[in-house]
Amino acid sequence: MKRFTDLADFPRAEVQQLVALAQRLETQPEPQALAGKVLGLLFMNPSLRTLASFQAGMARLGGSSLVITPGQGTWQFETRDGAVMTGAAAEHIREGLPVLSSYCDALGIRAFAAGEDLEDDLADKRFKAMAALVDRPLINLESAINHPCQALADWKTLDELPGSGRRKFVLSWVSHPKALPLAVPAATVHMAAMRGMDVVVLRPEGFALPPAIMDKARRAAADSGGSVAETADRAEALAGAHVLYAKEWGSTRHYGDELADQAQRGSLKDWCLRDDWFAGAAPDCRVMHCLPVRRNSAIADEVLDGPRSIVLRQAYNRMPAQMAVLYRLLKPGA
Ligand code: CP
């Protein structure tokens, strides 16, 4: 494996092998597997789980890591081609990234969507421009349109749930005070479809996932025997659901228009996940969220603190899942 930037780059069997490796490293630790290896982590945007779980995972495999957060102790990065650099940024990624790569055996990059132009973000232009400057094994730590590490950990979390046969997976939009990127919803709907689940995207009008995201998920479902549908009808979506994955994202009707987005989400405060959403769901329906989550805005305390929530296990699984990715990228012959 040379790069881990999209779950769609791998056949389903290879993803299952990665999850099996994550489980093995959990039960049979290999504290010297990556001794002497260095992982660089470049965060253009904030993080708790991704940063801490990669550093912890690398240490548990015997390697070390360094973290760069431009503008916070290191030079602020300019990312635009052709920029006249008279502003705050003292270093261009054209120098910064190759320099950073040269110190490391693998590099992870987090670069969120600019949130201005939907087509640019769907094409993942910012991340791809940065990835092109890296000549080392590369990991996507969340880009405009993908979060493969979250998706791999979520795959493992779903494997741990009881039950077999066809499972209904609902990805539901939930309320948030401002527009958030499409990376997690895009990665999640694809991951669940790739698993062969019956996937329903539940979202209010104006928040439909773009055709490029839905079509990618539908292609994965066609290969796996799953299905992908969407609706704005909560009762229809939740009927018989085994998993409800809650996530916030920005209006796709008003992408990049903050005021119009705000006006649209202003009337959607009842999209805070509460116990009464589960009236028609399977009795053991579980709740997932990638975190961070705003309590009582996106998900009510009663759900997060109740027996349906598996969000902490989901967050824990980031570490073994990423250890499996690091092992595949950096251990010769693995
Ligand atoms: N889910 C996730 O990626 O969390 P962080 O943004 O804290 O890394």
Side-chain angles (χ1 to χ4, degrees):
M1 189 195 289
K2 295 282 180 228
R3 291 194 163 196
F4 187 74
T5 56
D6 186 348
L7 223 54
D9 292 340
F10 305 96
R12 184 179 143 121
E14 203 168 334
V15 176
Q16 288 168 324
Q17 284 167 11
L18 271 175
V19 173
L21 176 58
Q23 284 159 348
R24 194 188 88 200
L25 292 170
E26 234 181 325
T27 53
Q28 301 166 47
E30 293 194 31
Q32 293 303 317
L34 300 185
K37 301 289 186 186
V38 177
L39 171 68
L41 296 165
L42 173 62
F43 283 90
M44 304 294 285
N45 309 94
S47 167
L48 186 154
R49 277 143 293 274
T50 307
L51 190 159
S53 57
F54 261 110
Q55 288 208 282
M58 193 63 184
R60 285 173 190 276
L61 290 168
S64 58
S65 54
L66 56 91
V67 178
I68 301 294
T69 50
Q72 297 175 37
T74 50
W75 305 115
Q76 204 162 313
F77 275 178
E78 177 58 75
T79 58
R80 295 168 301 164
D81 281 338
V84 178
M85 291 176 55
T86 52
E91 179 136 32
H92 202 283
I93 54 168
R94 286 179 178 276
E95 287 76 48
L97 271 168
V99 168
L100 195 51
S101 295
S102 72
Y103 303 146
C104 301
D105 297 291
L107 196 67
I109 299 176
R110 168 167 282 195
F112 287 176
E116 292 163 2
D117 184 298
L118 181 57
E119 294 310 315
D120 281 1
D121 288 341
L122 287 171
D124 230 353
K125 278 192 173 171
R126 189 169 178 231
F127 181 81
K128 284 180 179 165
M130 297 176 84
L133 298 166
V134 176
D135 65 354
R136 296 283 191 275
L138 177 71
I139 306 167
N140 180 345
L141 307 180
E142 188 175 340
S143 63
I145 208 63
N146 222 320
H147 198 350
C149 296
Q150 183 69 54
L152 185 65
D154 292 347
W155 188 301
K156 180 176 185 294
T157 306
L158 288 166
D159 276 1
E160 293 168 350
L161 294 180
S164 56
R166 289 193 83 96
R167 310 294 281 172
K168 185 173 181 182
F169 181 100
V170 178
L171 169 67
S172 178
W173 187 89
V174 285
S175 178
H176 192 275
K178 63 184 176 102
L180 292 188
L182 292 166
V184 171
T188 301
V189 70
H190 173 265
M191 176 276 300
M194 192 178 177
R195 286 177 59 87
M197 303 181 87
D198 290 317
V199 182
V200 178
V201 179
L202 169 63
R203 80 294 179 277
E205 296 306 330
F207 291 83
L209 295 179
I213 293 174
M214 295 299 284
D215 290 348
K216 181 178 173 182
R218 289 197 174 99
R219 286 194 297 276
D223 285 347
S224 66
S227 63
V228 177
E230 60 182 324
T231 179
D233 185 324
R234 195 175 294 163
E236 177 193 322
L238 269 291
H242 299 97
V243 177
L244 193 164
Y245 195 116
K247 187 65 190 91
E248 316 81 346
W249 63 86
S251 166
T252 44
R253 184 178 292 163
H254 300 297
Y255 198 86
D257 183 340
E258 195 180 328
L259 288 179
D261 178 287
Q262 283 293 332
Q264 191 158 36
R265 70 180 54 242
S267 61
L268 299 171
K269 298 287 193 302
D270 66 321
W271 286 74
C272 174
L273 179 58
R274 298 189 182 282
D275 274 342
D276 61 10
W277 283 40
F278 296 93
D284 61 348
C285 182
R286 292 288 175 261
V287 171
M288 299 177 73
H289 187 286
C290 65
L291 304 182
V293 65
R294 291 187 183 230
R295 281 178 172 255
N296 305 309
S297 170
I299 307 182
D301 286 343
E302 65 198 28
V303 176
L304 279 169
D305 298 331
R308 295 188 187 282
S309 174
I310 54 173
V311 300
L312 296 183
R313 180 68 190 175
Q314 204 185 336
Y316 162 77
N317 273 330
R318 294 292 305 278
M319 185 175 69
Q322 290 155 191
M323 286 168 70
V325 171
L326 292 168
Y327 196 98
R328 280 276 185 271
L329 285 172
L330 290 175
K331 189 165 167 56

